[in-house]
Amino acid sequence: MSDITSTLAAPRRQLFIRRGRLTVVDGPDAGRTWLVDRDVLHIGSLEESDVVLTDSTVSRRHAEVIRTADGVVLRDSGSTNGTFVGNVRVREVFLTPETRFTVGKSELAFTPEDEFIEITPSEKHQLDMLVGHAISMREVFGIIERVAPTDLTCLITGETGTGKELASRAMHNLSNRSRKPFRVFDCGAAPDTLIESELFGHERGSFTGAHTAREGVFELADGGTIFLDEIGELPLELQPKLLRVLEQREVRRVGSGRIRSVDVRVVAATNRDLREEVREGRFREDLYYRLAVVELQLPALRNRLEDLSLLCSHLLDRARHNPGVRGLAPEVYAVFEAYHWPGNVRELNNVIERALPFTDGETITLEALPASLRGAQAAAAATKGTVAPTELGIPQDSGLKDMPFKDAKEQIIEAFERDYLVELIERYGGNVSRAARAADMDRKSITRLLKKHGIR
């Protein structure tokens, strides 16, 4: 069992690793030992158990050791011969240092092996598809390097567009599961009525439209990693079912009575403050603690502007339709450094990709930038008294008056959409459903526009 938490705002970050060790002190397997470094450790005679005992009096699924927010719990799994602490048969009990318990005729001891590990910034400037010179990013790299080889559940937080999916892929690619599936499920994109089916699968005829049986993403990710994006959007009524899967590593398809075991590493992400969601009753506290075994926060782009040059070079190298552009003009970097970047690196990527078709030569210039960015620069200059805005509210040096009407109109609409969406999504704390209702729009339309403008 292992619990890692980190305070990313601290000057010197540390990981507190709560681990333990199970040792058979008496019985047929005396002397065998297991490191307890997972959320749930299953004890039994089944070969797929985490702790496999050859004791014939041990049930196939005898007991389990579970990490909770309050400590490590030993829970009987409905065994035939029971789980005992001393002479007392227990259903559930907290394990304390050197606790001994009996399953069947085997006696086991639990020993904590807690450890504080100081996280130092990685020497690397790129980890998988994440790049950064900034100390805040290199410390993130250091945490990922430490955590990736484990099976610990991880919660990645940060604003939209900071690279949460890339961080989850890095954890998968640097783990022992890298050759197994990596599956992504966006809890905010699927209709509420289909989320359970998408996650856990369904049997034929289990609901209208279920013409064939289908695996859910947990089954599809078996052996690998599942990335649950926008976990804060998961409906409250489905949260207990996800909690049960995380605890038991078992799924039951909609319309089926059969239990299927799954071996997955879970990484979740959100741009919400889940602690606040818990306080407001919108997110289960026990599910939060199950997900936040490791909590990793990604910094906003405006807080690591020293990475702009590295990021731009990286994004240009991987741009899908780059005609040979190699860099940005100094005045473009000046605009980028002055901009707030509500959509973070995703928005930066979108701006660069949209500028490429309008770039002649090897350098992106101001003229290739979207009107919203050029307008923001001119507006900032106007505030300082260097540029006078027109009566229409369009900065004089925005370049719009030199464009064909259709192109100028499109640029203005694009700028309006982005600004409207940024204010809307910030006003409702990243809650897409509430934002959609306030805007009198379909949720999917809001989601599509947010992704179009790099705000999600």
Side-chain angles (χ1 to χ4, degrees):
M1 190 63 48
S2 176
D3 183 15
I4 298 183
T5 55
S6 61
T7 306
L8 298 183
R12 301 185 70 177
R13 303 183 196 179
Q14 287 186 325
L15 295 181
F16 172 56
I17 305 180
R18 180 178 295 146
R19 288 175 173 159
R21 185 167 294 277
L22 283 179
T23 304
V24 181
V25 295
D26 191 20
D29 301 291
R32 294 191 65 190
T33 183
W34 295 265
L35 180 66
V36 185
D37 64 349
R38 304 180 64 175
D39 296 346
V40 181
L41 208 70
H42 296 285
I43 302 171
S45 60
L46 281 176
E47 288 187 5
E48 57 262 34
S49 298
D50 302 300
V51 176
V52 182
L53 299 176
T54 60
D55 186 344
S56 61
T57 60
V58 170
S59 297
R60 291 162 57 83
R61 301 175 183 270
H62 199 108
E64 54 194 16
V65 178
I66 306 169
R67 170 202 168 270
T68 71
D70 300 315
V72 179
V73 171
L74 170 68
R75 180 183 297 163
D76 185 80
S77 300
S79 64
T80 301
N81 294 319
T83 300
F84 290 82
V85 175
N87 294 322
V88 179
R89 184 167 183 168
V90 298
R91 289 186 179 274
E92 185 172 297
V93 65
F94 280 100
L95 294 178
T96 57
E98 302 299 338
T99 297
R100 293 194 174 193
F101 60 93
T102 303
V103 294
K105 294 181 180 179
S106 297
E107 185 179 18
L108 290 84
F110 172 77
T111 308
E113 293 187 357
D114 296 349
E115 184 179 7
F116 277 101
I117 297 177
E118 185 173 316
I119 293 298
T120 56
S122 173
E123 295 298 320
K124 299 177 181 177
H125 293 157
Q126 179 166 355
L127 187 69
D128 203 56
M129 294 301 293
L130 294 167
V131 297
H133 289 298
I135 290 178
S136 58
M137 278 304 293
R138 289 190 290 115
E139 286 182 340
V140 167
F141 295 171
I143 294 172
I144 292 175
E145 289 171 330
R146 178 72 194 186
V147 170
T150 75
D151 275 331
L152 298 174
T153 303
C154 181
L155 177 65
I156 304 175
T157 62
E159 296 180 5
T160 56
T162 48
K164 296 187 286 292
E165 183 175 338
L166 293 181
S168 71
R169 286 185 181 274
M171 285 196 179
H172 174 75
N173 292 338
L174 297 175
S175 75
N176 296 328
R177 297 175 178 266
S178 59
R179 296 183 180 275
K180 297 294 185 177
F182 177 86
R183 299 286 178 172
V184 178
F185 181 77
D186 188 341
C187 300
D192 291 354
T193 54
L194 294 179
I195 290 180
E196 184 176 2
S197 168
E198 294 286 337
L199 283 173
F200 311 131
H202 63 255
E203 295 295 341
R204 179 182 178 184
S206 55
F207 55 85
T208 302
H211 302 300
T212 60
R214 181 182 176 187
E215 295 173 304
V217 289
F218 270 93
E219 287 185 70
L220 293 171
D222 191 33
T225 304
I226 183 171
F227 175 55
L228 300 176
D229 199 8
E230 301 298 344
I231 191 66
E233 300 278 353
L234 188 68
L236 193 60
E237 61 271 19
L238 290 180
Q239 293 177 21
K241 296 184 179 182
L242 175 59
L243 177 64
R244 191 155 51 248
V245 173
L246 295 178
E247 289 184 341
Q248 304 296 331
R249 289 302 195 267
E250 296 174 338
V251 297
R252 177 184 293 163
R253 294 181 184 177
V254 176
S256 173
R258 177 186 169 192
I259 300 294
R260 292 173 169 83
S261 296
V262 290
D263 173 24
V264 293
R265 198 258 185 94
V266 176
V267 180
T270 182
N271 61 1
R272 297 192 189 187
D273 182 347
L274 284 192
R275 293 182 181 88
E276 178 63 26
E277 295 295 301
V278 169
R279 285 191 290 269
E280 295 295 326
R282 293 188 293 266
F283 203 85
R284 289 178 62 107
E285 183 178 26
D286 47 5
L287 178 56
Y288 167 73
Y289 282 114
R290 175 69 65 229
L291 292 169
V293 179
V294 180
E295 191 165 353
L296 178 67
Q297 184 175 7
L298 297 183
L301 177 56
R302 62 183 171 275
N303 295 329
R304 58 178 187 113
L305 291 177
E306 62 265 48
D307 285 341
L308 269 174
S309 178
L310 180 64
L311 281 168
C312 289
S313 296
H314 176 70
L315 295 173
L316 283 172
D317 288 342
R318 61 190 293 263
R320 289 167 293 180
H321 304 292
N322 188 341
V325 178
R326 296 289 176 261
L328 285 68
E331 56 269 25
V332 173
Y333 277 117
V335 170
F336 283 3
E337 288 173 355
Y339 185 53
H340 187 66
W341 295 111
N344 291 287
V345 180
R346 184 184 292 121
E347 185 179 8
L348 174 64
N349 182 55
N350 285 359
V351 167
I352 288 176
E353 287 204 342
R354 288 168 56 188
L356 290 176
F358 301 98
T359 298
D360 296 321
E362 296 185 351
T363 304
I364 294 177
T365 61
L366 284 177
E367 290 72 23
L369 297 184
S372 55
L373 275 179
R374 286 183 283 134
Q377 182 212 28
T383 302
K384 298 177 182 178
T386 59
V387 175
T390 70
E391 293 181 359
L392 294 173
I394 301 172
Q396 289 181 348
D397 67 346
S398 66
L400 290 176
K401 292 181 179 179
D402 299 325
M403 297 181 185
F405 173 81
K406 180 180 178 182
D407 294 342
K409 179 181 177 182
E410 182 179 336
Q411 292 260 21
I412 292 173
I413 291 174
E414 290 261 323
F416 164 76
E417 283 183 357
R418 186 192 61 77
D419 292 344
Y420 179 87
L421 289 166
V422 166
E423 182 177 344
L424 181 70
I425 205 70
E426 286 182 353
R427 187 189 316 150
Y428 291 97
N431 189 314
V432 179
S433 298
R434 292 174 60 197
R437 286 194 294 270
D440 195 22
M441 294 176 65
D442 180 79
R443 191 175 183 280
K444 286 188 176 181
S445 298
I446 284 280
T447 301
R448 177 180 55 78
L449 287 172
L450 290 170
K451 290 184 177 180
K452 170 186 172 184
H453 292 283
I455 301 172
R456 289 185 66 87

